[in-house]
Amino acid sequence: MAGLAAAFGSGAMTNSIDEIEHTDLILATGTNTTENHPMIGARVKRAVRKNGAKLIVIDPRKIDLVKYATLWLRQKPGTDVAVLNGLMNVIIAEGLHKADYVADRTENFEALAQTVKKYTPEYVEEISGVPADDLRKAARMYAGAKRASLLYAMGITQHITGTDNVKSCANLAMLTGNVGIEGGGVNPLRGQNNVQGACDTGGLPNVFSGYQQVANDEARAKFEKAWNVKLPGKPGLTVVEMTNAAHRGDLKALYIMGENPMLSDPDLHHVEESLKHLELLIVQDIFLNETAELAHIVLPSACFAEKDGTFTNSERRVQRIRKAIEAPGCAKADWEIVAALSTKMGYPMTYGSAKDIMNEINIMTPSYGGIVYDRLDGEGLCWPCPTKDHPGTAFLHKDRFTRGRGLFHAIEYQPPAELPDTEYPYILSTGRVLYHYHTGTMSRKSIGLNERCPESLVEINPSDAQQLAISEGQAVRITSRRGTVSATAKIVETPPPGTVFMNFHFREAAVNLLTNPALDPIGKIPELKVCAVKVEAA
Amino acid sequence: MSNVPTITIDGKQIEATPGKTILEVARENGIYIPSLCFYEGTKNPGACRVCAVEVDGARSLVAACVMPISPGMVVKTDTERVKQARKLVVELLWSSGDHNCLTCERNGDCELQDLVYRFGIEKPRFDIDPPGYGIEDTNTMIQRDLNKCILCGRCIRACNEIQINEVLDFSLRGSHAKVGPAFDADYINSECVFCGECVNSCPVGALTFKQARFMGRPWELKKVKTTCPYCGVGCQLDLNIHDGKIVKVTGNREYGQPNLGSLCVKGRFGIDFVNHPSRLKTPLIRIDGELREASWDEAIGYAAQKLGDIKKTHGADSVAGLCSARCTNEENYIFQKFMRAVVGTNNVDHCARL
Ligand code: SF4
Ligand code: SF4
Ligand code: SF4
């Protein structure tokens, strides 16, 4: 979430989930909220139906939320920056921005104003297909709301311009004074249950827990002292860079705890080859997933119901999980396994419980300083929570941004890396469905979820289906420059003409055999939302 | 304080918020009024009539769940007239359904059964005459036995006003009234998204969690509060445990944020992966191309030795680790500590971007 951090100084959801239900306007872009974050989706729907909030949806797909929307802007995939710049163009041109807020709390407004000048509604219509008048209406509606909450998810980030997209969202919210107020904010909805926590606790190549930079001498010295070792100061490799390094032969060993890159990463052929180059692949998981099948050593772990610990949700709320049952066989909690391995390698880790580890997190991580187990039996605590008497923080950047002043970024629109051509005339977009989760490791083992969604479907717009002579339920073959997969056709109005949509939960139709690994240069997020394919009846 | 209306319930003077109903004010003040149809967070109950109270000046009994308070109102909740009226309602509900507690999943946790017991009703005055519907058995998650339905409408309001899924409604009217999806469809053939809110709201055994059937009586289940392992909302839920197994998942409205007791299909019905037979139970080591079972000592010993060798030969940066958005904070913390402090590299990441 590099984009938000650059603009505000923190990459997390700025406001709390509860505020979404009680705000005046919600702008949802690149989030299929009712399927991917259903209990936030319910909040959005209640805000509209029960509390009279307005809802603007910006999404190429006709998602469920469109039913509740006051206004729906259907942009071409990958044109988000143009649309957001267009909204800001109208807001500035019509003087609807919050000038005092911009003057008092932000910087670099002039550069932004200069850049968005050329993104007139008519110009944006040419790029994005969004009618100029709708764009004007949306801009006025958003700027006119007393409090507006902006929600986004992977539909914004999984592009080569993902960081730019996020920065543009931040621009729009700052321009209208919507950051640092109750009911406002820029709210990235996290896909997996503990993405936020994995980032907070240092599961990133450039930071220790609490986003303390490994390259910062002071931070490193602090951890060196506490851990009693010399620590490397050079930031490490990201997931996709690791795969590439393995492919080149530079990376020899990979230790994977609870992930399945063999289904989640773009360009799976490449991932498989890379993993096969490794001298040592250790996979620690609850199931023998696709990645574990390639491993040299597989370590069985306990699942969430079989251990104690905490997860941090999308709104920075740290909440407990509690051991309810025993793990099967001799499976152990992941922390126990890591500690055992560490001890074996000559660095004893002698934690007696998850709580002991949290005690160390409290000491080493300022924002988690007051988040102790004894305080987590109620509604949990939202960080920053620096001390044991601090109540936690519902919304960030009140009175002052984490980085001081909010920073506007002047951003130009850039088309997606791979656009349709005569050979590959369709856009493939990927995402999740309500009944499954990520690579399906858990959800595909559930009776109920599979009853509702037993196979991978490819969504095709009726007009395309007609042209391709494909009918509902028919097997189709989808081919990109990188591979081919088969799936069953579902003819629906959800995707726009010219775009097909698939989920990535099924190994039988592994959509990431097709997707483009082109990376966002800053966020290092692959462009999973747009690649060019051809579609044929199988 | 002059704007605060004062009302009297059972002789007790109470300051109440305007706009609230008699039922809400009574419950806030610890005064018992039963209701089988009221459901927090939804509007216009008024279906079951078991909340009858006497209000001075009103000729007939009043439904406390829909009647807003007014200043100076005098309410009596415990008169003989009230008791008789409530009893009659319960007897009618009992006799119009198939309330066979012997095999009902809600036995011991049923609001109708509780009232029958509380009012001391041995047997209804009327002949028991259930409608004779078939039990809906067409999906694996929710069982519907409309012979036990008391037409309280909670499920409809829960579906429409809390989850806003807009699937359920009354079909037909009067003595043929029925609740369910449009066109009398089964759940599985409707727009239902199996959030299970309707089941959680049902006061009786008409809607039950099918996979929990015969897996443990309500009083045998141990509830453990935890966090959903699926998406980033982090819903709080109760795992219901019996005999060391997760039997079902329930929401708990007392837990508050972030989900206020509601869940989606994944948190509600997607937890059975935990019991799946293909769970990994022992470490595995690849020998001659095949993964073979090993002890923890062997596996950890082998991993430590190989990691150490590779580090020595090719340097710490030839090793990388992926931690996980599905593991706990504590586990991610010590994983990065392991990579940085023990292996000596910052090559640690997870699939957050994907
Ligand atoms: S399970 Fe959810 S969507 Fe389905 S009928 Fe019940 S409340 Fe409505
Ligand atoms: S199914 Fe249950 S909740 Fe719905 S009307 Fe019948 S008794 Fe009430
Ligand atoms: S119950 Fe559904 S909405 Fe809630 S955390 Fe689980 S997956 Fe997310």
Side-chain angles (χ1 to χ4, degrees):
Chain A
M1 298 290 155
L4 267 201
F8 302 156
S10 163
M13 201 166 150
T14 60
N15 289 56
S16 68
I17 290 171
D18 196 44
E19 289 166 58
I20 296 168
E21 186 169 345
H22 305 285
T23 189
D24 303 307
L25 182 143
I26 297 163
L27 190 161
T29 177
T31 159
N32 184 5
T33 326
T34 56
E35 293 206 52
N36 295 340
H37 302 90
M39 288 306 102
I40 293 180
R43 299 276 194 161
V44 175
K45 293 191 280 183
R46 290 206 292 266
V48 172
R49 284 285 152 91
K50 296 178 86 173
N51 301 331
K54 291 191 172 121
L55 172 65
I56 302 173
V57 173
I58 307 181
D59 205 299
R61 296 177 68 219
K62 189 174 183 183
I63 54 175
D64 187 43
L65 274 188
V66 169
K67 258 199 334 233
Y68 303 85
T70 324
L71 205 56
W72 172 35
L73 309 185
R74 186 178 221 177
Q75 85 280 31
K76 289 187 191 140
T79 62
D80 308 80
V81 167
V83 173
L84 293 163
N85 277 350
L87 293 174
M88 292 186 272
N89 173 290
V90 175
I91 290 171
I92 295 173
E94 299 188 2
L96 303 173
H97 59 291
K98 284 236 168 36
D100 343 341
Y101 180 97
V102 168
D104 296 347
R105 300 209 37 196
T106 68
E107 57 191 332
N108 208 29
F109 170 70
E110 285 314 316
L112 173 83
Q114 195 55 43
T115 300
V116 302
K117 217 177 218 151
K118 77 162 182 272
Y119 292 86
T120 60
E122 285 68 25
Y123 178 55
V124 172
E125 177 169 351
E126 263 171 53
I127 299 172
S128 70
V130 173
D133 275 344
D134 285 353
L135 200 75
R136 282 197 185 89
K137 267 191 232 156
R140 289 171 196 150
M141 205 182 281
Y142 180 79
K146 201 158 147 248
R147 301 166 304 170
S149 174
L150 192 157
L151 310 180
Y152 73 81
M154 296 298 192
I156 279 291
T157 55
Q158 289 178 342
H159 292 280
I160 47 159
T161 58
T163 304
D164 285 352
N165 292 351
V166 172
K167 286 175 177 167
S168 301
C169 290
N171 286 343
L172 178 64
M174 284 193 289
L175 189 62
T176 47
N178 270 308
V179 187
I181 61 166
E182 191 178 336
V186 181
N187 297 303
L189 308 182
R190 302 302 204 142
Q192 300 182 61
N193 64 322
N194 201 31
V195 176
Q196 187 64 51
C199 296
D200 295 348
T201 51
L204 292 169
N206 58 336
V207 290
F208 298 109
S209 64
Y211 306 95
Q212 304 172 79
Q213 301 284 333
V214 296
N216 179 303
D217 293 339
E218 217 176 294
R220 215 168 51 249
K222 170 176 154 185
F223 280 88
E224 284 178 343
K225 183 152 172 260
W227 293 350
N228 200 21
V229 286
K230 189 98 189 80
L231 292 170
K234 188 181 84 170
L237 304 174
T238 62
V239 186
V240 178
E241 289 168 342
M242 285 177 197
T243 324
N244 292 337
H247 204 260
R248 285 194 310 270
D250 296 343
L251 192 73
K252 306 287 184 197
L254 183 59
Y255 176 16
I256 303 180
M257 171 176 82
E259 293 277 9
N260 187 13
M262 267 303 291
L263 216 48
S264 62
D265 283 25
D267 197 356
L268 285 185
H269 284 312
H270 177 75
V271 175
E272 179 167 357
E273 273 172 38
S274 306
L275 293 180
K276 285 183 171 162
H277 283 180
L278 290 166
E279 268 176 44
L280 176 66
L281 175 61
I282 306 173
V283 176
Q284 180 171 314
D285 210 298
I286 61 173
F287 290 110
L288 193 70
N289 63 32
E290 291 77 4
T291 309
E293 280 169 11
L294 302 176
H296 302 99
I297 304 174
V298 178
L299 305 172
S301 51
C303 78
F304 83 107
E306 298 151 356
K307 62 189 178 190
D308 289 312
T310 57
F311 288 149
T312 304
N313 80 351
S314 223
E315 56 174 343
R316 297 170 275 105
R317 187 181 299 275
V318 182
Q319 309 187 102
R320 281 292 313 276
I321 60 166
R322 293 178 181 81
K323 180 168 176 161
I325 54 173
E326 294 299 327
C330 59
K332 290 185 191 191
D334 289 291
W335 67 265
E336 292 179 280
I337 306 173
V338 177
L341 183 57
S342 176
T343 304
K344 189 82 190 176
M345 288 182 73
Y347 186 94
M349 286 193 185
T350 53
Y351 308 101
S353 64
K355 189 176 172 180
D356 286 352
I357 304 172
M358 184 52 102
N359 290 342
E360 183 173 323
I361 298 176
N362 296 149
I363 296 166
M364 301 307 294
T365 319
S367 53
Y368 275 64
I371 302 182
V372 296
Y373 274 33
D374 299 348
R375 298 183 68 195
L376 295 180
D377 284 335
E379 291 187 322
L381 286 163
C382 294
W383 64 260
C385 174
T387 57
K388 287 190 185 158
D389 49 14
H390 191 287
T393 308
F395 64 94
L396 303 174
H397 317 301
K398 185 171 185 273
D399 305 323
R400 181 184 176 278
F401 283 91
T402 308
R403 71 178 289 280
R405 278 174 173 267
L407 179 61
F408 283 110
H409 291 88
I411 290 166
E412 295 286 356
Y413 162 72
Q414 233 187 291
E418 189 177 88
L419 284 172
D421 53 23
T422 39
E423 203 185 346
Y424 300 100
Y426 288 88
I427 292 177
L428 169 72
S429 194
T430 71
R432 298 160 197 253
V433 299
L434 172 65
Y435 297 98
H436 289 289
Y437 171 75
H438 211 57
T439 63
T441 310
M442 304 190 308
S443 61
R444 291 206 57 203
K445 305 230 167 40
S446 160
I447 297 167
L449 299 180
N450 283 294
E451 175 180 38
R452 224 33 191 148
C453 181
E455 60 174 342
S456 188
L457 300 173
V458 50
E459 293 182 0
I460 304 174
N461 186 282
S463 63
D464 293 335
Q466 198 179 11
Q467 245 175 40
L468 294 161
I470 288 170
S471 50
E472 176 80 16
Q474 196 175 339
V476 293
R477 202 164 49 235
I478 303 169
T479 310
S480 79
R481 289 186 173 80
R482 290 154 295 275
T484 298
V485 302
S486 312
T488 306
K490 179 177 173 192
I491 317 274
V492 275
E493 299 277 355
T494 317
T499 298
V500 296
F501 175 86
M502 281 185 82
N503 71 69
F504 65 101
H505 309 296
F506 290 82
R507 68 194 294 182
E508 307 85 317
V511 67
N512 285 332
L513 291 168
L514 309 175
T515 47
N516 189 353
L519 289 186
D520 170 278
I522 301 158
K524 305 279 161 86
I525 303 181
E527 183 143 75
L528 299 181
K529 292 295 178 209
V530 183
C531 78
V533 293
K534 74 176 163 227
V535 181
E536 310 151 289
Chain B
M1 294 306 263
S2 57
N3 286 352
V4 180
T6 305
I7 69 166
T8 309
I9 307 182
D10 296 343
K12 195 172 152 195
Q13 295 259 337
I14 292 170
E15 285 180 350
T17 322
K20 292 220 163 161
T21 62
I22 298 174
L23 181 78
E24 285 168 322
V25 173
R27 288 196 172 176
E28 278 165 18
N29 287 279
I31 297 165
Y32 174 77
I33 298 178
S35 172
L36 292 168
C37 63
F38 172 77
Y39 195 59
E40 184 98 45
T42 67
K43 288 207 176 78
N44 305 320
C48 77
R49 302 276 146 181
V50 80
C51 66
V53 291
E54 269 187 66
V55 174
D56 278 10
R59 254 185 297 131
S60 46
L61 293 174
V62 160
C65 70
V66 285
M67 176 62 77
I69 51 138
S70 56
M73 193 179 236
V74 177
V75 180
K76 297 196 184 81
T77 73
D78 211 21
T79 65
E80 201 46 39
R81 193 170 156 218
V82 165
K83 281 187 193 157
Q84 286 312 323
R86 289 181 184 168
K87 226 171 134 182
L88 179 69
V89 169
V90 171
E91 287 181 67
L92 281 167
L93 291 176
W94 180 354
S95 62
S96 63
D98 172 28
H99 295 289
N100 176 3
C101 306
L102 289 177
T103 60
C104 184
E105 276 303 311
R106 295 295 296 274
N107 180 24
D109 176 32
C110 169
E111 295 180 41
L112 181 65
Q113 196 186 55
D114 288 348
L115 291 184
V116 168
Y117 197 86
R118 186 180 183 113
F119 298 160
I121 307 170
E122 287 284 357
K123 231 182 179 184
R125 269 167 268 181
F126 318 101
D127 286 343
I128 292 182
D129 183 21
Y133 296 123
I135 293 178
E136 182 176 315
D137 204 22
T138 45
N139 73 78
T140 60
M141 293 172 271
I142 297 175
Q143 177 161 316
R144 287 208 303 160
D145 178 0
L146 291 186
N147 300 302
K148 292 187 168 59
C149 172
I150 58 170
L151 297 171
C152 69
R154 276 193 201 174
C155 57
I156 297 174
R157 280 174 281 124
C159 184
N160 296 317
E161 296 176 47
I162 292 178
Q163 292 271 357
I164 324 252
N165 284 332
E166 302 171 338
V167 174
L168 300 179
D169 203 348
F170 285 109
S171 64
L172 309 172
R173 292 280 154 188
S175 60
H176 298 290
K178 212 173 161 187
V179 298
F183 312 113
D184 211 3
D186 284 4
Y187 271 30
I188 197 76
N189 298 317
S190 74
E191 297 291 304
C192 170
V193 291
F194 289 89
C195 66
E197 190 82 30
C198 52
V199 183
N200 241 34
S201 74
C202 183
V204 295
L207 300 175
T208 51
F209 296 115
K210 188 164 169 199
Q211 290 168 34
R213 245 181 116 56
F214 303 122
M215 296 295 285
R217 328 292 296 271
W219 59 88
E220 295 171 325
L221 300 178
K222 184 178 87 182
K223 292 189 178 194
V224 180
K225 178 184 180 185
T226 195
T227 305
C228 175
Y230 282 105
C231 87
V233 183
C235 292
Q236 298 298 289
L237 49 82
D238 277 329
L239 298 177
N240 291 238
I241 311 296
H242 184 233
D243 262 353
K245 276 186 87 176
I246 301 171
V247 168
K248 65 177 173 185
V249 172
T250 44
N252 188 330
R253 304 179 108 199
E254 278 167 23
Y255 294 162
Q257 301 298 335
N259 53 308
L260 313 176
S262 296
L263 298 169
C264 84
V265 63
K266 290 189 281 293
R268 177 89 65 190
F269 294 109
I271 305 293
D272 50 334
F273 73 86
V274 171
N275 301 329
H276 199 273
S278 68
R279 281 287 301 277
L280 282 167
K281 296 179 189 72
T282 162
L284 306 171
I285 297 179
R286 190 173 298 277
I287 300 169
D288 300 330
E290 253 178 65
L291 286 171
R292 306 237 171 109
E293 293 193 358
S295 71
W296 273 112
D297 276 351
E298 289 164 343
I300 293 285
Y302 184 51
Q305 184 218 326
K306 286 285 282 180
L307 278 174
D309 288 352
I310 290 172
K311 180 180 162 183
K312 207 176 290 159
T313 326
H314 303 284
D317 285 337
S318 69
V319 181
L322 286 180
C323 55
S324 173
R326 266 159 291 170
C327 293
T328 64
N329 290 328
E330 292 77 0
E331 289 162 343
N332 282 296
Y333 178 85
I334 78 159
F335 189 90
Q336 58 100 30
K337 178 175 178 178
F338 171 77
M339 292 307 296
R340 295 188 156 114
V342 185
V343 178
T345 178
N346 285 313
N347 290 339
V348 52
D349 198 5
H350 63 276
C351 296
R353 302 177 176 82
L354 311 171

